[in-house]
Amino acid sequence: MNSMNSEKIPGLYIHIPFCLSKCHYCDFYSLTSVSAVPDFLDAFFKEMEVYRNRFDPFDTVYIGGGTPSLLSPEQLERILIGVRKNFNLISNPEITIETNPADLSRSFLESMRENGINRVNIGVQSFDEKVLNFLGRRHSVKQAISAIEASRKAGFHNIGLDLIYGVPAQDVESWLNTLKQAVVFSPEHVSCYQLTLEAKTPLGIRYRAGEFPLPGEELQYEFFMKTSELLEDAGYIHYEVSNFARGKEHTSRHNQKYWDHSPFLGLGPAAHSFQGNQRWWNHRSLDQYLAAINAGNLPIEATETLTMEQLRLEALYLGLRTKKGISLRDFKNQYHYDLSTQKKKILAKLKEEGFISIEDGYLSPTQTGLAVADSLSLI
Ligand code: SF4
């Protein structure tokens, strides 16, 4: 292992692989029966013990999935007690839970707060009932609104809303209406994801059968730029391709770790981990995950050692998706590559064309550059 990320504080990710029903666009690993939750939790506690004190202290904990809000308050409390028993958390950690609006009663939210969870991410996706139905979400617009209001009343000062755009039958105007409704609640964080359809999902199958089109490049660009404009006008910082924060203090500390090669430990089926130049991931299937742990093994499906060149390309790809961009000096120190001299010509061209700026030692995408960030990294 090299020492390139030894200074960075690690984050902890916990994957809860259960959902009550499957959304039509979803490619994540999750099961729709909750009967195996007790077995999963027993195995998860064993997995956590193996990593005891190996990564910590953590400054972020992210309980994702799946739908963690399906668990009972008692089960979530046990998870957080287990985290504190096995790992050190720095003072004032960011502890996030991903939730479905249908699960967010006031008492559930209050119990989350009592357990130390200080950030709630709500999968609202849309304030348009037609879009929710098309996506196969199991909640209504009314439930989304109650969930946000209940989160505030329960004392959450850090609320994130997840939204999806580019849905067939949704025009730019109706998407902007969803955004306008979102900002009424002044969430601290908004994530706007463009709908992508993996081949094997129900919507992916319908798309490939020609039932509906997806927005072409021009329309995608329009969605992207109008989203950015509306949220920036409402006071949000567009700090990453899909992410907006109401002030720097509300950017996601946890997600930042994925973008800057900080170490992170992922527990639970399908969870990924990263440290130094090693990446490893757990079995996707709960059965394989349980079998490995019950046989006394770690549930790791595969491990990958990244070369310096792979790390460098990843850092370029991820860095150019952030508004802050890439510190040329840090990049040179970490990846032994001087972008300003070795990519001088192409950078000058991209700058002239208005895709990037180079200021105060940072190579950053402009707003137009952010819209095509994935192609920018091919320099
Ligand atoms: S709630 Fe999330 S993880 Fe579960 S099926 Fe829907 S999109 Fe997938």
Side-chain angles (χ1 to χ4, degrees):
M1 183 184 310
N2 70 24
S3 61
M4 66 162 229
N5 57 21
S6 57
E7 302 296 310
K8 295 175 176 169
I9 304 174
L12 176 64
Y13 175 77
I14 298 169
H15 189 78
I16 309 294
F18 302 96
C19 291
L20 272 192
S21 60
K22 219 50 204 167
C23 304
H24 300 336
Y25 57 92
C26 180
D27 190 40
F28 292 123
Y29 179 71
S30 64
L31 300 165
T32 49
S33 158
V34 290
S35 60
V37 169
D39 288 346
F40 159 70
L41 286 177
D42 287 347
F44 164 76
F45 287 118
K46 287 185 195 155
E47 187 189 14
M48 191 154 54
E49 274 169 26
V50 177
Y51 286 104
R52 187 173 193 147
N53 295 337
R54 264 179 56 186
F55 263 76
D56 53 354
F58 293 113
D59 73 336
T60 64
V61 179
Y62 194 103
I63 309 175
T67 312
S69 53
L70 270 187
L71 299 185
S72 67
E74 294 72 30
Q75 287 165 331
L76 283 161
E77 183 180 7
R78 274 178 63 209
I79 289 176
L80 285 156
I81 290 172
V83 166
R84 292 198 167 89
K85 193 175 122 203
N86 287 290
F87 304 118
N88 293 303
L89 302 183
I90 63 147
S91 62
N92 192 25
E94 175 190 274
I95 307 184
T96 307
I97 184 166
E98 270 181 2
T99 62
N100 186 298
D103 303 329
L104 295 188
S105 66
R106 174 90 178 259
S107 61
F108 179 89
L109 286 155
E110 280 169 356
S111 137
M112 294 305 91
R113 291 270 302 141
E114 279 159 22
N115 287 323
I117 294 176
N118 49 27
R119 185 165 183 269
V120 62
N121 213 54
I122 310 175
V124 169
Q125 315 310 351
S126 178
F127 286 103
D128 182 335
E129 213 71 64
K130 277 202 311 286
V131 172
L132 291 181
N133 287 335
F134 183 86
L135 295 173
R137 298 290 302 178
R138 72 172 163 92
H139 62 86
S140 63
V141 170
K142 198 167 160 221
Q143 282 173 312
I145 293 171
S146 314
I148 302 167
E149 289 173 348
S151 301
R152 279 282 182 243
K153 283 187 190 138
F156 278 97
H157 304 299
N158 202 350
I159 297 177
L161 305 186
D162 282 354
L163 302 170
I164 295 184
Y165 67 92
V167 179
Q170 175 195 49
D171 57 19
V172 175
E173 220 39 53
S174 68
W175 161 244
L176 294 181
N177 282 337
T178 273
L179 277 183
K180 283 177 199 160
Q181 289 218 39
V183 301
V184 166
F185 300 102
S186 294
E188 281 67 28
H189 195 270
V190 182
S191 298
C192 301
Y193 299 107
Q194 187 186 314
L195 180 68
T196 51
L197 294 179
E198 299 299 329
K200 287 187 182 152
T201 59
L203 282 182
I205 292 167
R206 289 177 57 195
Y207 169 66
R208 290 201 317 165
E211 276 192 41
F212 51 78
L214 283 176
E217 261 180 38
E218 257 177 50
L219 189 53
Q220 281 176 24
Y221 183 76
E222 193 184 343
F223 270 113
F224 183 90
M225 294 308 257
K226 292 225 163 122
T227 301
S228 187
E229 200 181 298
L230 189 148
L231 288 175
E232 291 207 324
D233 284 352
Y236 289 81
I237 308 168
H238 189 176
Y239 73 100
E240 197 266 351
V241 169
S242 311
N243 290 290
F244 299 80
R246 198 156 59 77
K248 268 195 185 144
E249 68 281 18
H250 293 123
T251 56
S252 163
R253 265 154 71 185
H254 187 80
N255 285 347
Q256 189 62 43
K257 297 184 188 301
Y258 302 137
W259 305 326
D260 72 3
H261 274 159
S262 292
F264 53 88
L265 173 63
L267 303 174
H272 282 56
S273 303
F274 178 75
Q275 190 177 41
N277 57 357
Q278 303 278 315
R279 176 169 291 134
W280 64 98
W281 52 95
N282 284 348
H283 293 296
R284 253 172 90 91
S285 111
L286 181 62
D287 285 346
Q288 280 179 293
Y289 173 84
L290 295 178
I293 291 182
N294 293 332
N297 301 319
L298 273 175
I300 296 175
E301 183 180 285
T303 302
E304 182 183 31
T305 301
L306 291 125
T307 62
M308 185 56 81
E309 195 191 352
Q310 286 172 312
L311 288 166
R312 172 167 66 75
L313 291 173
E314 270 191 12
L316 192 64
Y317 169 79
L318 295 168
L320 287 174
R321 289 176 60 90
T322 64
K323 183 151 212 151
K324 184 174 163 204
I326 294 166
S327 155
L328 293 168
R329 195 184 56 188
D330 292 352
F331 195 89
K332 189 174 167 191
N333 290 340
Q334 287 188 4
Y335 308 106
H336 313 310
Y337 194 92
D338 189 345
L339 282 167
S340 51
T341 56
Q342 289 170 268
K343 293 284 182 191
K344 195 173 175 185
K345 267 195 191 158
I346 181 84
L347 291 182
K349 188 164 177 275
L350 289 171
K351 195 172 165 196
E352 199 185 306
E353 289 168 352
F355 290 110
I356 58 162
S357 71
I358 301 176
E359 269 168 41
D360 304 327
Y362 276 83
L363 160 62
S364 320
T366 59
Q367 202 57 27
T368 320
L370 212 51
V372 294
D374 295 352
S375 335
L376 276 190
S377 65
L378 301 174
I379 57 175

